[in-house]
Every structure is written in structure tokens, then in C-alpha cells.
């Protein structure tokens, strides 16, 4: 599974910790930046990671900013993106099971790397349950197509 990674300056250090973790696990990824701790506007990175998912270049994405909120809002503006901003493993697990989320967003100023790495693992290992949840995800897509 190819993972798209991205962060602004607020999530840069957390992204680097996630890269190290994925390297250790042998999980492949593409890093869409940022590559330094200098300030960069999070929508720029969110868009690149989101388009990597919708183009099929990558299967899932992980985005980090200071809170995880701004970068998730921006990613969710791209059609076909279901980006979940999470701060706990339960939500990271269920957003795959029930929402078929294709991007996980986290806040580098909110959670520590230990928790974030556990969330990354559950997000990448959990498959969508389908069934009644597929109907609900289809309804989300319907809203997207109406606007
Ligand atoms: C950048 O200072 C900060 O606003 C950003 O990382 C993020 O928290 C936005 O939602």
C-alpha cells in the first residue's frame, strides 16, 4: 500500500516521526512535504496529498498540521476525499471501519508521537466494513456531487 504523507510546519516533526516508523515497518510512502520547519500554508500540502489519493497514485494519506484541523478541512474540499482528524485510536479505527476514511489527519501540537504512531497503525491496518456503512458513505458522496 502506497501512503501519501504531508505536513505544514506545525506537523513537520510528527510527519518525520511517522516516516521513521513506516521505514521500520517497511511501508512505502511518498512525502509531499514540507521538508523543513519553516512556515508553509497547510492548504498547499493538503491539496497535493488529496490529489495523490484521488488520482490513484497513493491509496491512503496521512496529514499533520498544528491541530490537524485546518489541513483536514482543506483536504476534504477535494472530491472523493474523506479525511478524518483524530486524536485517539478508537476514532482512527472506526473512521476506517465505518467512514472508509482515506486520509488521517493529526495535530502535531495536540498529541505525542507515541499515540500518533498507534493511530497510524490502526488506520492502515483496518478495512472498511461496508454493508450499511457503504450506504452512508454513498450519501456523503451524493452531497458532494450536489454541490
Ligand atoms: C499554523 O500555525 C497552524 O495554524 C496550523 O498548523 C494548523 O494548526 C491549522 O489548523
Amino acid at each position: 500500500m502506497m501512503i501519501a504523507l504531508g505536513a505544514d510546519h506545525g506537523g513537520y516533526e510528527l510527519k518525520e516521526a511517522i516516516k521513521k516508523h513506516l521505514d521500520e515497518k517497511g511501508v512505502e510512502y511518498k512525502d509531499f512535504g514540507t521538508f523543513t520547519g519553516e512556515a508553509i500554508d497547510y492548504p498547499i500540502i493538503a491539496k497535493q496529498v488529496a490529489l495523490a489519493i484521488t488520482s490513484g497514485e497513493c491509496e491512503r494519506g496521512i496529514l499533520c498540521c498544528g491541530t490537524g484541523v485546518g489541513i483536514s478541512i482543506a483536504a476534504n474540499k477535494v472530491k472523493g476525499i474523506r479525511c478524518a482528524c483524530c486524536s485517539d485510536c478508537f476514532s482512527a479505527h472506526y473512521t476506517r471501519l465505518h467512514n472508509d476514511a482515506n486520509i488521517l489527519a493529526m495535530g502535531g501540537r495536540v498529541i505525542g508521537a507515541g499515540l500518533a504512531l498507534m493511530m497510524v497503525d490502526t488506520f492502515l491496518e483496518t478495512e472498511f466494513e461496508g454493508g450499511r456503512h457503504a450506504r452512508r458513505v454513498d450519501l456523503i458522496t451524493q452531497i458532494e456531487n450536489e454541490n
Side-chain angles (χ1 to χ4, degrees):
M1 185 192 298
M2 182 62 73
I3 309 303
L5 290 181
D8 75 350
H9 52 291
Y12 170 67
E13 280 183 25
L14 183 55
K15 173 175 70 71
E16 294 306 298
I18 293 167
K19 274 168 68 173
K20 186 167 171 280
H21 181 66
L22 296 181
D23 282 336
E24 285 165 6
K25 290 177 67 101
V27 176
E28 285 190 301
Y29 59 81
K30 289 185 181 172
D31 185 354
F32 290 86
T34 185
F35 301 105
T36 72
E38 269 180 51
I40 180 167
D41 298 334
Y42 56 81
I44 296 166
I45 303 291
K47 184 178 172 185
Q48 288 184 45
V49 166
L51 292 178
I53 305 294
T54 55
S55 70
E57 183 184 356
C58 296
E59 198 174 319
R60 280 183 216 162
I62 298 170
L63 284 170
C64 307
C65 68
T67 58
V69 175
I71 209 157
S72 63
I73 291 173
N76 278 317
K77 297 297 177 189
V78 175
K79 260 190 182 192
I81 292 301
R82 289 177 300 280
C83 178
C85 179
C86 301
S87 300
D88 66 275
C89 288
F90 185 87
S91 301
H93 183 66
Y94 274 87
T95 198
R96 284 289 312 133
L97 268 184
H98 287 186
N99 313 132
D100 199 16
N102 45 19
I103 302 181
L104 172 67
M106 295 176 289
R109 296 171 184 159
V110 180
I111 58 171
L115 173 58
L117 301 183
M118 288 178 76
M119 290 166 59
V120 165
D121 286 347
T122 191
F123 183 77
L124 297 184
E125 287 161 12
T126 307
E127 289 308 318
F128 180 46
E129 205 171 78
R132 67 186 187 282
H133 303 294
R135 183 180 70 244
R136 293 161 186 167
V137 171
D138 287 347
L139 286 167
I140 295 173
T141 306
Q142 203 173 302
I143 296 170
E144 200 171 56
N145 291 331
E146 285 165 2
N147 289 276

